[in-house]
Amino acid sequence: MIKFLVFSDLHYDEVADGDKRIEDILMSARKRELDFIVSLGDLCNPVSANQKVLEKFNSLGVPFYNVIGNHETDDCKLSEILDFFSIRSPYYSVVCNE
């Protein structure tokens, strides 16, 4: 069985309670033995000041996959977005629990 957590539209730097939203997701993730986490887009603006958002998710020790949302592309070039999320392509696939 594969166990994963999916969320979308966190809009970290566009809402007043971005840190609380992240902590709620992390708390939920810690209660489960997850295989991975997926953000379905609009996580945060892909700028260096928001690297802390990725660090929080990576601190769980569970693979974290991100879909590029429309808000990520508002003010950044695709190459900047790919660098921020450490991915090589705007689309990708993963294999879990083979």
Side-chain angles (χ1 to χ4, degrees), residues 12-79:
Y12 174 75
D13 40 11
E14 296 177 18
V15 295
D17 64 342
D19 288 314
K20 182 184 179 327
R21 290 180 184 204
I22 288 175
E23 288 307 316
D24 288 347
I25 294 168
L26 296 176
M27 186 175 6
S28 179
R30 286 185 193 107
K31 293 178 182 177
R32 296 157 174 82
E33 291 183 29
L34 299 174
D35 293 297
F36 58 90
I37 298 172
V38 178
S39 168
L40 294 178
D42 298 340
L43 177 66
C44 63
N45 289 314
V47 296
S48 60
N50 287 334
Q51 199 64 37
K52 62 185 175 185
V53 173
L54 298 181
E55 290 169 3
K56 288 182 180 200
F57 285 103
N58 291 332
S59 74
L60 292 173
V62 175
F64 177 71
Y65 304 110
N66 189 69
V67 174
I68 298 171
N70 63 305
H71 287 271
E72 277 96 355
T73 62
D74 285 345
D75 298 318
C76 294
K77 296 177 185 175
L78 181 58
S79 61

